[in-house]
Amino acid sequence: EGMDIYRRTAAAILYASLAEIAPGARAVVGQSVGNGYFFEIHDHAVDSDFISQLERRMQEMVVADLPIEPEWMSVERAVEMFSRHRMHDSVKLLRQQRRSEVPVIALGPYRGFSTGVFASRTGLIDIFSIRPYEHGIVLDFPNERGELAQSVPNQPKLFATYLETKRWNELVGIQNVADLNDHCMGGGAQELVHVAEALHEKRIAAIADEIARRKNTRLILIAGPSGSGKTTFTKRLAIHLKIHGLEPVAVSMDNFYLDREATPRHPDGSYNFECLEALDVALFNSEMQKLIHGEEAEIPHYSFPMGRRDPGRFQRMKLRKDQILMTEGIHGLNEALTPVIPAENKFKIYVSALTQLCIDDHNRIFTTDTRLCRRILRDRLFRGTSAAATIAGWGSVRAGENRYIFPFQEDADVIFNSALSYEHALFKPYAERFLAEIPREHPSFMEAARLARFFGLFLPILTMEVPHTSILREFIGGSAFKYT
């Protein structure tokens, strides 16, 4: 929560500084890049002089230690104020709200719709930097230790995927929550769902086409963070591969876990099942090589209740020429998982929910929030886990992703964005119900309250409008696919 407050406040300082040095410019927040936020700057040239001037003014605001004043005001007054500041995206959203007052943040000449907690003064936000990136700028934030990254990762594949998703959103006429709500109120929800799902289908088909063109591909490796919809994506990709005459053969990475006594442990003594060292990498490579070369392999069966491989159960397997191996696991993109398998025999796919819908020009929808909400629904509906427990365990899940998944996302051959522009409107009734079950005294309550406020911005989309092959059915039920 502290890091969220820091980033939110630093962005407000950027908006306030921009309002002073370039009153006619419009900043639109975008995706995360490394440990920062990407911003598009409209109606103003983005060059080294502009960046230097903007960063210098931000630093002056920090030194001045200006107060940041939150205020609750009537919707009518907020609409009038934002109209004067030409913040038409916020005006549109506020007019859709069914409440009498809204929170507004004030910092120097800047006024913004507040979607969360801010620091009380600018002097607390003293570590940041601005750099050019693609057609805009990135505002870099410190890590939890208060340090800026010494080197900034270049993420061309991930960035290109974000841009592709933005173009998809433009095709359906949705760039922010107010646009989505307009579709819901205007009777366009069903068409929106159909177009968004068709764009997904087209992208999956294109990935299958690329795999089929690479004649030497024998092993498809799929990885992505929790809540990405990897399972449904894998099933839909398999259908498209069959159109090309390829028969996917699933191999579960779980069967290659080491026996429990050989499993690495965390510092607290608990088992670390997420690290690569928890897998028998040598055995996995040996059996995959046999299959790729047309030889018979023995795939073990790992018994989780026993904590070891069951010596009485294994699967003999031999790959036909029309068959292709497919496996899903968190280490799929890490070359250390398949060091002896030639690159021409592998095809790596990164799947994640990279949300490109914004609340308004100045407030992002976090991709991690999208995945967390997916997890809350799936855990509560199908796994007997409360929303409180899912939220409480989310920090551990994210720590594993930061260590074992995100560093390798640029190593993928393709990236599939499983986010859908309408999903938060679909999730709204479920999320509000499950979040309301969390008692006020529970440690997850603050995060639940934040998410509940977030979902309060949306108008709902009915479940009946979502096709049964949608990735979102993995989280709300009613899928045409079976999950084990």
Side-chain angles (χ1 to χ4, degrees):
E1 290 84 358
M3 291 306 301
D4 286 344
I5 293 169
Y6 194 101
R7 297 183 184 107
R8 191 179 296 117
T9 309
I13 296 172
L14 183 147
Y15 299 137
S17 300
L18 183 66
E20 289 189 0
I21 69 169
R26 171 174 164 243
V28 180
V29 68
Q31 63 278 1
S32 295
V33 175
N35 204 36
Y37 292 168
F38 174 77
F39 295 84
E40 290 182 339
I41 307 296
H42 298 269
D43 304 321
H44 197 285
V46 178
D47 52 26
S48 57
D49 289 341
F50 167 78
I51 293 174
S52 297
Q53 189 178 4
L54 181 60
E55 187 167 16
R56 183 166 57 250
R57 182 57 192 137
M58 289 182 67
Q59 291 168 345
E60 289 171 354
M61 282 193 168
V62 171
V63 172
D65 200 18
L66 302 174
I68 301 175
E69 303 167 356
E71 179 184 357
W72 281 86
M73 64 175 60
S74 69
V75 170
E76 290 77 15
R77 183 181 162 209
V79 165
E80 180 185 356
M81 182 184 67
F82 287 142
S83 296
R84 289 200 310 270
H85 287 264
R86 294 175 298 150
M87 299 172 67
H88 305 300
D89 52 313
S90 297
V91 169
K92 187 176 180 180
L93 180 61
L94 291 181
R95 282 180 170 155
Q96 296 169 348
Q97 301 303 298
R98 295 299 178 260
R99 49 181 174 172
S100 58
E101 292 185 323
V102 292
V104 172
I105 194 74
L107 175 57
Y110 173 67
R111 300 294 183 273
F113 177 42
S114 173
T115 60
V117 179
F118 288 78
S120 60
R121 60 187 194 275
T122 58
L124 297 168
I125 313 300
D126 58 350
I127 303 173
F128 58 83
S129 66
I130 301 177
R131 57 187 167 94
Y133 193 88
E134 296 291 338
H135 59 287
I137 61 173
V138 168
L139 173 61
D140 284 316
F141 309 111
N143 57 26
E144 287 81 353
R145 297 183 299 276
E147 304 164 342
L148 287 173
Q150 295 299 311
S151 60
V152 179
N154 191 25
Q155 300 173 317
K157 293 179 183 177
L158 196 66
F159 192 79
T161 304
Y162 280 121
L163 292 181
E164 178 186 57
T165 305
K166 286 201 72 170
R167 289 194 294 269
W168 286 6
N169 287 349
E170 291 168 3
L171 283 175
V172 296
I174 292 179
Q175 298 184 51
N176 52 49
V177 173
D179 292 339
L180 176 58
N181 288 342
D182 266 357
H183 275 70
C184 295
M185 290 187 293
Q190 191 172 48
E191 181 181 5
L192 165 64
V193 170
H194 289 166
V195 174
E197 294 289 347
L199 288 167
H200 259 197
E201 199 68 33
K202 183 177 181 180
R203 180 60 176 147
I204 295 171
I207 293 172
D209 292 345
E210 187 169 348
I211 292 170
R213 280 195 298 270
R214 300 190 185 188
K215 300 299 183 183
N216 293 325
T217 299
R218 304 296 285 161
L219 174 62
I220 301 171
L221 297 146
I222 301 170
S226 177
S228 295
K230 298 183 294 296
T231 304
T232 305
F233 166 80
T234 301
K235 292 178 182 295
R236 288 173 63 175
L237 177 63
I239 293 171
H240 283 279
L241 290 172
K242 289 180 180 181
I243 295 172
H244 290 281
L246 294 171
E247 182 68 30
V249 176
V251 176
S252 175
M253 198 76 69
D254 289 351
N255 286 322
F256 291 88
Y257 272 118
L258 294 169
D259 290 349
R260 192 65 46 84
E261 59 269 18
T263 302
R265 294 176 182 264
H266 291 292
D268 64 1
S270 61
Y271 290 108
N272 185 352
F273 295 110
E274 292 188 318
C275 68
L276 183 62
E277 291 74 20
L279 296 171
D280 192 334
V281 173
L283 180 63
F284 178 76
N285 279 263
S286 170
E287 300 310 300
M288 293 305 104
Q289 274 190 307
K290 290 176 185 176
L291 291 171
I292 288 171
H293 295 145
E295 302 169 7
E296 186 176 80
E298 288 188 357
I299 306 301
H301 175 80
Y302 190 88
S303 170
F304 284 92
M306 296 168 61
R308 59 183 174 84
R309 293 181 202 129
D310 187 342
R313 294 183 63 186
F314 57 87
Q315 180 185 7
R316 285 195 173 91
M317 182 185 295
K318 190 174 182 179
L319 212 61
R320 301 195 310 263
K321 287 186 178 181
D322 65 332
Q323 291 181 318
I324 187 168
L325 294 166
M326 185 181 289
T327 187
E328 174 196 326
I330 63 173
H331 300 291
L333 305 182
N334 186 348
E335 192 61 26
L337 175 69
T338 54
V340 301
I341 298 175
E344 62 266 22
N345 295 144
K346 297 181 288 193
F347 191 90
K348 299 178 180 179
I349 305 173
Y350 177 63
V351 181
S352 190
L354 306 168
T355 307
Q356 272 299 282
L357 191 71
C358 290
I359 296 174
D360 58 17
D361 282 357
H362 294 171
N363 292 285
R364 300 178 61 229
I365 294 178
F366 300 107
T367 58
T368 52
D369 279 356
T370 299
R371 294 190 294 106
L372 172 57
C373 292
R374 289 180 173 190
R375 273 286 296 264
I376 288 172
L377 268 60
R378 184 177 62 193
D379 288 356
R380 173 63 173 75
L381 288 169
F382 309 115
R383 298 184 178 180
T385 303
S386 68
T390 299
I391 292 172
W394 188 240
S396 175
V397 171
R398 290 192 62 187
E401 295 168 348
N402 288 332
R403 185 171 182 180
Y404 302 120
I405 298 177
F406 296 147
F408 306 102
Q409 55 196 3
E410 283 293 321
D411 296 333
D413 292 290
V414 297
I415 297 176
F416 176 75
N417 185 359
S418 70
L420 286 153
S421 55
Y422 70 88
E423 67 181 278
H424 299 95
L426 174 69
F427 290 164
K428 175 185 172 76
Y430 298 92
E432 289 182 335
R433 160 70 185 279
F434 300 152
L435 292 169
E437 296 173 351
I438 301 177
R440 296 186 67 88
E441 63 272 13
H442 196 281
S444 297
F445 179 78
M446 184 163 69
E447 179 72 350
R450 180 185 70 83
L451 291 172
R453 289 194 299 271
F454 166 69
F455 277 105
L457 300 172
F458 293 87
L459 294 176
I461 284 178
L462 301 178
T463 305
M464 67 181 71
E465 298 177 29
V466 180
H468 295 284
T469 55
S470 173
I471 277 175
L472 301 184
R473 288 286 181 181
E474 184 176 332
F475 306 98
I476 64 171
S479 177
F481 302 109
K482 295 191 182 301
Y483 304 98
T484 55

